[in-house]
Amino acid sequence: MFQKLRRSLTKRRQKLSLPPVAREVMRDGLTYLPLERMASLNAELERVVAQDVPGDIAEFGMALGGSAIVLAKSRGKRRFLGFDVFGRIPPPTDRDASDAHNRFKVIAEGKSTGIRDGEYYGYVDDLYGRVVSSFEKFGLSVDNQSIILRKGLFQETFLPSESDRFCLVHIDCDWYDPVLFCLTSVSRCLSPGGVVIVDDYNDYEGCRNAVDKVLAENASLRLERTLPHAVIRKQPV
Ligand SMILES: C[S@@+](CC[C@H](N)C(=O)[O-])C[C@H]1O[C@@H](n2cnc3c(N)ncnc32)[C@H](O)[C@@H]1O
């Protein structure tokens, strides 16, 4: 029985195509993304690169930097921009449901455990420094030109100019307000054919409501699928 389960898990892993960097960040406990989401994120990345969709790559919500490292590693000539408060996650609001408030209560009481029972990222003293070191370990220099990390609230650090364009954006920030802000803002600078992946669509009610609201107001955005996360594409013109 146990061996059968192990064989089917091994088969599932072999079917999901992952670059070595993704396997390494997962092995090192640098990401909360389960295998299916990492494989899907990577597939979308390969797709925009193969189709040569213009624009940079961005992530909102980096925590320990795992998924960001995967995105930055495959950026080619594009820039990678990563946004995070690099500290304790800001609280949910009354637009979020009890799932978010219950989770935040555990975090605020100092009772959250991290990946594989390690230290929770929100309790790390210098999370920004830790993430920069992890990038370096993967051969990625945070030079703030080709790889740019912005520390602070998204609402204060993401101020796109007229000329900013994105081909792929990963939104991984849990609650209603930040998801609404990020998706609304990036929808204006997403290239046609570009993609936004929202990690928590199936995890938090507030996140799902924010995504559904933006989709209802933007005819140019199409929800292609909701598993293992929400994949939203800007329609080619
Ligand atoms: C689930 S974690 C990201 C996980 C990461 N992508 C990975 O690979 O494991 C969510 C991150 O979003 C950040 N965050 C949430 N709301 C934010 C906001 N309004 N401004 C800046 N950072 C925020 C949190 O502090 C946290 O680091």
Side-chain angles (χ1 to χ4, degrees):
M1 165 80 177
F2 183 63
Q3 275 185 339
K4 206 171 153 196
L5 186 69
R6 209 161 57 189
R7 269 203 304 275
S8 90
L9 273 176
T10 311
K11 265 196 187 156
R12 208 181 96 213
R13 285 211 174 100
Q14 284 166 347
K15 261 201 247 159
L16 295 169
S17 141
L18 276 185
V21 60
R23 292 189 189 281
E24 280 168 42
V25 297
M26 295 182 88
R27 187 201 58 206
D28 293 356
L30 293 178
T31 183
Y32 284 86
L33 265 65
L35 192 65
E36 282 80 4
R37 291 192 198 177
M38 185 60 93
S40 170
L41 180 67
N42 185 61
E44 293 302 335
L45 179 62
E46 286 180 352
R47 183 170 164 179
V48 292
V49 169
Q51 292 178 347
D52 211 9
V53 178
D56 295 323
I57 296 168
E59 179 171 84
F60 294 88
M62 296 173 65
L64 292 164
S67 49
I69 288 170
V70 174
L71 295 174
K73 198 76 184 166
S74 299
R75 74 192 182 288
K77 287 190 196 128
R78 303 158 197 268
R79 296 186 305 168
F80 170 82
L81 293 89
F83 298 84
D84 202 289
V85 76
F86 295 110
R88 185 82 54 92
I89 187 168
T93 66
D94 57 5
R95 292 206 169 99
D96 291 287
S98 57
D99 50 4
H101 290 279
N102 293 340
R103 172 70 185 128
F104 186 74
K105 187 168 180 282
V106 175
I107 295 170
E109 286 171 350
K111 292 182 183 157
S112 181
T113 50
I115 298 166
R116 292 190 221 120
D117 287 339
E119 186 183 19
Y120 172 62
Y121 68 83
Y123 307 150
V124 172
D125 276 345
D126 177 15
L127 183 58
Y128 178 83
R130 172 90 67 97
V131 170
V132 170
S133 302
S134 296
F135 267 65
E136 277 163 5
K137 201 178 141 219
F138 281 86
L140 298 164
S141 162
V142 179
D143 56 6
N144 282 316
Q145 292 195 355
S146 160
I147 297 183
I148 300 159
L149 301 190
R150 298 221 179 112
K151 180 177 159 117
L153 291 174
F154 306 139
Q155 294 86 331
E156 291 165 10
T157 55
F158 183 56
L159 309 161
S161 70
E162 275 296 307
S163 59
D164 280 332
R165 282 288 167 272
F166 294 94
C167 63
L168 182 147
V169 178
H170 187 217
I171 298 179
D172 188 2
C173 51
D174 304 1
W175 326 137
Y176 182 94
D177 277 356
V179 171
L180 185 78
F181 170 80
C182 295
L183 188 53
T184 305
S185 310
V186 299
S187 66
R188 299 187 191 116
C189 36
L190 195 64
S191 297
V195 70
V196 182
I197 293 131
V198 186
D199 183 77
D200 302 293
Y201 189 79
N202 303 297
D203 301 330
Y204 290 110
E205 201 177 316
C207 171
R208 192 165 53 249
N209 290 341
V211 170
D212 291 347
K213 178 175 161 60
V214 180
L215 289 174
E217 292 166 0
N218 282 275
S220 67
L221 297 178
R222 214 185 87 216
L223 181 64
E224 280 191 352
R225 54 189 169 92
T226 58
L227 289 173
H229 41 202
V231 176
I232 300 162
R233 199 165 310 274
K234 179 120 170 193
Q235 295 311 290
V237 275

